[in-house]
């Protein structure tokens, strides 16, 4: 639907009785693109420029006047000028009085200035109604109509009517306005387009560290060791076998690290006997990026699944199977069927599949549109109950995968156990601690603390003291 | 973007000229958490309390006064008190006159009271503008900022300006207000946080029943029967082989049950000759949870795919292949290649893959954000045409899987056919009936009925009679 | 939550003090369904009809009057009448003056009339406040409550208060109003429900052409050729082997065609020396449906993955492996292990998995709710950087799959190379051109052009000339 708007609207425009005039200050790339788009959507555009005679490349149909002349033509002025040049507006204080001033500016760095550009503008021109808008939309996107990315335009401002007028323009351009409240939100809105996945940095770094660790660990055990002792060239394992050790182990560790901060927070609350003291900053930050950690873990789990399913197609595996059978056939030896091995093999596969299935479910419920459909009770049920079940299944999958070999001294190479043994340390510890925490004798005081109860109500005392002082 | 709000906003606050004062009645956990959050977002907070001197643990910066003193300080009062204690407000009728009263209360059970808490409040204080809000947000989420779950705050109220004021506060706190209309919506809003997947109960129970049925069916055929007749220990099949019978059969049956109510409704409409009579309640409820039924079926299909793809990695299968080849090699017997078997094997796999692919497409289009992008015509095309195609492909997949063995008496064990034969009953019947329904001679009257035509226009007659009586 | 609204609201209604009266003009199917729904939600309904005595099937509780009588009962009139019959309203000009008139009409074809129905209505009755709404909701959906499809009701109108009143009604019915601005948006809103995936037509046709081409190409090489020369019946390959050639080759070509228009646009901009001239229409349209092209490619890639993973379960493959081993065992010949083959086999699989993984990531970020969470910088990072990485990985996957056989004359059949060689042409060319475009000596002028710089600033000159003329 949105795509056709640029095509159909101009037609409708012709029959439209009165055209609203909007003034744009500044004739740079963004000003021109916005002007063109607004012309196409039926607005009448007046550009305000320092040198109206020198302004070039303006969309045909738009008028170019000096700043003060242009401002008189409309009660909405869109300011497409850098913050550094806002000073010139002080000369226009009278003309701009009572008008709507739309600040579209962005900065080059996050928190570049103490106050946001829009608030600075409002201080410069206390008589104008400053509205922040359009800064999240790129000139290129406006021009090409290729708005596959967010069509959301964050709008904020202190004057409700001014904000409504700007939101109507946003809608007419085929974009979605999002009211972010008063001008206090401007700083956040200005920082927004400069961010590059801020919540994902910690999860990515952490998983990179884990991957590198497991990579070297596996290379030492699977490539260097056989080369040193048997002169065997195992380098081809770098393509599939070793990644298929790195990915599941990283995924399992990351999944455990999703639930670790919750357990640490519970221990801290139990120790402090109150929930009203802030957690240390690192714990706070860790708790806020658990969703991202979990999604990165899901990515690794997905890769592990694909790498595993591809096993029987690999040349190496086919050669191995074929050779083993040929050798057996030549020796005329049949293989006995060992039921316990069948049990182990089937159960570790089944546990892995069920764990992955629940993991995918968790991932789907963390999609914004799905989690918005879900109330708090349902969300906690899914993310906490189902999350722990996933962790239990994945840990069990790894334990059963180890099976009889688990901690068997013969699997040690240079005293190093298999990588999955390392990966099991955090999840197993976590599950044991969590199990202790849900024992009734520990769960009860914790629940009371979380409902606001205090073991050492110091605040209460001080509050009372304060009152008796009065 | 949202995550940083708590960090950046307090800074902005300092330079903010005037702070809005909001009054909170009640100093319980939710009141305190909300107060702290609002303080952080730049509001000035006054708590109203029964015993202002006894109130403890309040966020620093907030004032505590008696109810009537606090109410005078602000024209917005947030009421964080249980419904049972609303009586005390009747003593404050005068102070609260014309003020905005925000009801945040929740109940312990769905439909606990005849009228919603907010409507009860509006009856108690007819002079105040009651707005329902914030009841879907937990105190813990407010405090921790861990609002990965829904940030939506449902707001309703009879006074538009009061509602707008509250929605502005919601936005300033970094949450998303959702206008649900007048106070009549309060009951729904109060019931919302108490629900635990109400639409999923029927699909879950149904699939649980189907799973249990197929489980025992398969255990009898694949574990008990071989044990009784051949003393063979097949218990290891419980891990993968038997689930891989349960899951596809449950998925196919559930998928057919998604489309069955539509067919039943069509038959009922044809029989009654009108669309203006309500369906029986069970049919209504069934029709409303078709989407959930379909998604559960997709879950089972997904598990079936993973269980199937894992087959060649299983120890049992590898042992079987290896042993068969060794035996053949020892006997020096080559296997002939049977083209018809290759055809059957490849086509059941291809049908299954295509069916699963369409099923995943259906699942993706049922994501709220995707189905919102789609108009009614497109939605019906996908869910009806593509849905039936999926059912046809999955049924064909099962039929071809059966192939030559299908209904072969030698596959009967204790007169029981394979599980997939049972699972085919509903889909095959459904497809036959559907095929009959789309025959032109039946489709035409059905379409007319659905466009509002009546075979026996009794209502019309009665309406006319009524008129002639006048 | 939404589902329960119809059940709970009627109860609440009873205690509701005053009922708003809404008038519905027209007693057809949609009028009746809407009236019933509004009655259930607590409104009082008056139907306006040509022959009030003849109107049938109306929901009980609703009143039926003549048009002018009905219109006097309410200040909101919902018009459920076809555009062709709007003339009768001119007789009611006086009664309708100042009232809110809701146009719910749809047309039979896109752009059927020059102006939208709502704008036509506004011209007929300049005194009424026309609001467009409800046209995207079907009568059936209203009645059954089965609103799994979009619950969005697009609303537009020139009078803000009238629009707000209508949006309140929409909310009370449990639907989501979406303000689309002034009545100029009505044409777009009226076209919307008639569309059937307009942006998907080109991608679908293109992929159909590619599929058919690769199908015949593969049939000639893999079925006809062996039949002609060896009288071998390879038809069973039609089920899996040949689709598994068609799908990956189509996917790779489509993926390259997603990025080709961007490269063409860059070349065009470099050649023209400006970004201010429109691209040819075909290029514009191609650029606008890149997302859809990419998603179709992802679908084919997904099918390719499933068809590949299923390989070891196929009867043909099992027979082949078994036979090969038996023959070897009888000949007592062991297979040597070739490390370079292991490397090739493992790396093409690993490249394919990584490429598919990134492809899935791209697909997920193109979900509306996810791309709305992402700012412009992040979106460009994902869609451009990650997109090219995906293309590189998939191209490398295909190149390494070819491996030693690539362009080997012995693989030619009737001078035709394998299908993947054909599929590599576009991606390889594209990657080479893209590589040239990101060389600093070419990237710099391109970046300047995209920031608004012009090589031949003709517009500037003409603008200056224009000014000196004054």
């Amino acid at each position: 639907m949105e795509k056709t708007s640029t095509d159909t609207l101009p037609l409708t425009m012709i029959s439209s009785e009165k055209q609203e005039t909007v003034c744009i200050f500044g004739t740079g790339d963004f000003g021109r693109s916005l002007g063109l788009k607004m012309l196409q959507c039926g607005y009448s555009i007046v550009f305000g420029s320092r040198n109206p005679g020198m302004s070039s490349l303006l969309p045909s149909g738009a008028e170019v006047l000096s700043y003060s002349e242009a401002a008189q033509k409309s009660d909405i002025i869109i300011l497409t000028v850098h913050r550094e040049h806002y000073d010139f507006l002080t000369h226009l204080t009278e003309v701009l009085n009572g008008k709507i001033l739309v600040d579209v500016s962005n900065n080059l760095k996050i928190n570049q200035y103490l106050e946001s550009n829009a608030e600075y503008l409002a201080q410069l021109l206390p008589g104008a109604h400053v509205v922040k808008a359009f800064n999240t939309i790129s000139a290129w996107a406006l021009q090409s109509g290729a708005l596959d990315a967010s069509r959301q335009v964050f709008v904020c401002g202190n004057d409700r009517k001014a904000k409504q007028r700007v939101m109507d323009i946003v809608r007419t351009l085929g974009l979605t306005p999002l009211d972010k409240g008063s001008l206090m939100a401007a700083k956040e809105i200005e920082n927004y387009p400069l961010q590059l996945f801020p919540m994902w940095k910690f999860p990515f770094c952490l998983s990179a560290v884990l991957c590198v660790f497991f990579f070297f660990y596996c290379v030492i055990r699977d490539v260097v060791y056989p080369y040193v002792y048997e002169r065997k060239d195992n380098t081809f394992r770098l393509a599939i076998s070793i990644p298929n050790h790195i990915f599941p182990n990283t995924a399992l560790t990351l999944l455990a690290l999703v639930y670790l901060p919750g357990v640490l927070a519970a221990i801290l609350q139990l120790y402090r006997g109150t929930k009203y003291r802030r957690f240390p900053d690192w714990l706070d930050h860790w708790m806020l990026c658990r969703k991202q950690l979990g999604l990165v873990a899901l990515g690794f789990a997905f890769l592990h699944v694909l790498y595993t399913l591809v096993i029987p197609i690999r040349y190496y595996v086919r050669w191995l199977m074929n050779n083993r059978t040929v050798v057996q056939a030549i020796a005329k030896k049949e293989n006995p069927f060992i039921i316990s091995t069948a049990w182990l093999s089937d159960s570790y596969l089944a546990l892995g599949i069920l764990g992955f299935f629940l993991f995918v479910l968790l991932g789907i419920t963390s999609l914004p549109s799905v989690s918005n459909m879900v109330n708090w009770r349902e969300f906690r049920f899914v993310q906490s109950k189902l999350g722990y079940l996933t962790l239990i299944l994945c840990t069990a999958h790894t334990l059963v995968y180890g099976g009889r070999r688990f901690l068997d001294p013969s699997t040690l190479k240079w005293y190093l156990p298999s990588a999955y043994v390392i990966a099991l340390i955090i999840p197993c510890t976590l599950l044991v601690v969590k199990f202790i925490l849900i024992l009734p004798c520990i769960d009860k005081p914790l629940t009371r603390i979380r409902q606001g109860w205090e073991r050492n109500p110091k605040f209460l005392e001080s509050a009372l003291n304060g009152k008796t002082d009065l």
Side-chain angles (χ1 to χ4, degrees), chain A:
Chain A
M1 162 166 205
E2 275 81 12
K3 296 296 162 49
T4 59
S5 62
T6 35
D7 305 335
T8 58
L9 276 174
L11 288 171
T12 343
M13 262 356 78
I14 300 153
S15 64
S16 171
E17 59 289 359
K18 46 130 206 181
Q19 290 187 318
E20 203 180 343
T21 302
V22 173
C23 167
I24 296 177
F25 272 17
T27 55
D29 190 30
F30 190 80
R32 292 197 297 260
S33 303
L34 188 62
L36 178 63
K37 181 79 184 173
M38 292 184 78
L39 277 167
Q40 287 172 343
C41 292
Y43 287 95
S44 172
I45 298 297
V46 187
F47 279 98
S49 167
R50 226 173 334 154
N51 305 27
M54 293 291 289
S55 297
S56 62
L57 307 171
L58 293 176
S60 63
E63 217 179 336
V64 197
L65 300 172
S66 74
Y67 285 131
S68 63
E69 286 170 323
Q72 277 157 11
K73 293 257 180 172
S74 163
D75 54 345
I76 298 191
I77 293 114
I78 299 176
L79 191 68
T80 67
V81 166
H82 287 288
R83 177 195 175 118
E84 296 82 48
H85 309 309
Y86 281 4
D87 312 333
F88 83 91
L89 292 165
T90 48
H91 308 300
L92 302 166
T93 316
E94 263 174 59
V95 195
L96 297 176
N97 217 4
K99 303 222 162 174
I100 299 168
L101 215 53
V102 185
D103 184 309
V104 306
S105 64
N106 271 323
N107 295 323
L108 298 171
K109 291 189 302 185
I110 285 180
N111 289 331
Q112 193 171 359
Y113 299 99
L114 201 80
E115 79 282 73
S116 68
N117 301 352
E119 284 170 305
Y120 171 65
L121 185 61
Q123 282 166 25
L124 278 183
L125 298 162
H129 304 303
V130 175
V131 175
K132 180 90 209 174
F134 288 114
N135 70 312
T136 52
I137 300 290
S138 87
W140 182 82
L142 268 176
Q143 217 168 19
S144 67
L147 285 160
D148 282 334
S150 183
R151 293 170 159 275
Q152 288 180 342
V153 173
F154 298 117
V155 180
C156 75
N158 291 328
D159 186 82
R160 185 160 307 138
K161 276 186 191 162
K163 205 157 61 174
Q164 274 299 340
R165 286 282 302 276
V166 176
M167 286 168 73
D168 281 342
I169 294 177
V170 171
R171 277 188 206 104
T172 310
L173 301 189
L175 303 166
T176 312
L178 214 81
D179 189 341
K180 298 294 281 184
S182 75
L183 217 52
M184 297 189 318
K187 189 157 201 127
E188 203 187 328
I189 296 180
E190 288 173 11
N191 281 336
Y192 181 67
L194 297 166
Q195 295 171 350
L196 189 62
F197 298 111
M199 299 309 293
W200 292 87
K201 255 168 217 157
F202 172 62
F204 273 132
C205 294
L206 189 63
S207 54
V209 168
L210 284 171
C211 279
V212 169
F213 166 73
F214 281 117
F215 174 76
F216 284 110
Y217 194 91
C218 293
V219 165
I220 288 171
R221 271 184 51 99
D222 296 350
V223 179
V224 179
Y225 184 91
Y227 183 76
V228 168
Y229 284 90
E230 313 170 34
R231 294 285 141 191
K232 228 169 116 181
D233 181 2
N234 262 357
T235 48
F236 76 93
R237 285 176 171 268
L238 287 171
I240 293 204
S241 308
I242 287 179
N244 205 14
H245 284 129
I246 298 172
F247 295 155
N249 290 324
T250 306
L252 183 61
T253 310
L254 285 175
L255 183 59
L257 291 178
V258 169
Y259 294 97
L260 189 55
V263 165
L264 289 181
I267 293 173
L268 212 62
Q269 285 177 338
L270 270 176
Y271 172 77
R272 288 172 170 177
T274 175
K275 73 163 187 176
Y276 291 105
R277 270 170 64 197
R278 267 182 73 89
F279 295 128
D281 273 349
W282 58 267
L283 188 57
D284 243 13
H285 187 224
W286 191 354
M287 289 186 87
L288 285 176
C289 63
R290 283 181 291 180
K291 176 178 154 183
Q292 285 75 10
L293 264 179
L295 288 175
V296 173
L298 178 57
F300 282 108
F302 180 67
L303 282 172
H304 166 51
V305 167
L306 287 179
Y307 272 91
T308 303
L309 293 178
V310 119
I311 285 175
I313 315 178
R314 292 173 63 195
Y315 163 78
Y316 168 68
V317 174
R318 287 186 168 177
W319 172 84
L320 208 72
M321 294 288 159
N322 169 285
N323 221 39
R324 191 182 293 166
T325 314
V326 169
V327 169
Q328 260 184 288
I330 292 171
K332 308 215 172 189
K333 240 185 16 192
E334 276 181 55
N335 241 352
F337 179 66
I338 308 154
I339 285 191
S340 66
T341 308
W343 257 113
L344 275 179
S345 148
D346 278 12
S347 15
Y348 103 78
L349 289 171
L351 286 167
I353 291 172
L354 293 173
F356 179 66
F357 175 70
L358 288 186
F359 211 160
V360 169
L361 266 193
L362 286 177
I364 290 172
T365 53
S366 76
L367 282 173
S369 68
V370 177
S371 61
N372 266 342
M373 297 285 288
V374 152
N375 68 33
W376 187 253
R377 197 179 160 211
E378 292 164 342
F379 184 78
R380 279 198 51 187
F381 176 81
V382 170
Q383 294 295 330
S384 167
K385 301 265 164 74
L386 243 61
Y388 267 105
L389 188 54
T390 309
L391 182 60
I392 290 169
L393 284 171
C394 292
T395 310
H397 164 68
T398 315
L399 281 167
V400 178
Y401 166 76
R404 297 196 202 88
R405 291 167 298 164
F406 192 62
L407 293 183
D408 178 346
S410 73
T411 62
L412 296 181
K413 293 179 182 168
W414 285 331
Y415 304 106
L416 298 174
S418 298
Y420 69 87
V421 179
I422 308 288
L424 276 168
I425 296 172
I426 300 180
C428 288
T429 319
L430 176 73
L431 287 174
V432 168
V433 175
K434 178 72 187 176
F435 179 74
I436 294 170
L437 283 175
I438 57 171
L439 291 178
C441 58
I442 294 180
D443 187 45
K444 259 183 207 161
L446 189 59
T447 307
R448 284 177 65 200
I449 287 170
R450 286 189 173 160
Q451 285 166 351
W453 174 79
E454 294 242 316
R455 194 167 52 223
N456 312 311
K458 293 175 205 155
F459 290 141
L460 178 62
E461 285 163 25
S462 63
L464 282 172
N465 292 343
K467 285 291 160 194
T468 46
D469 282 0
L470 271 175

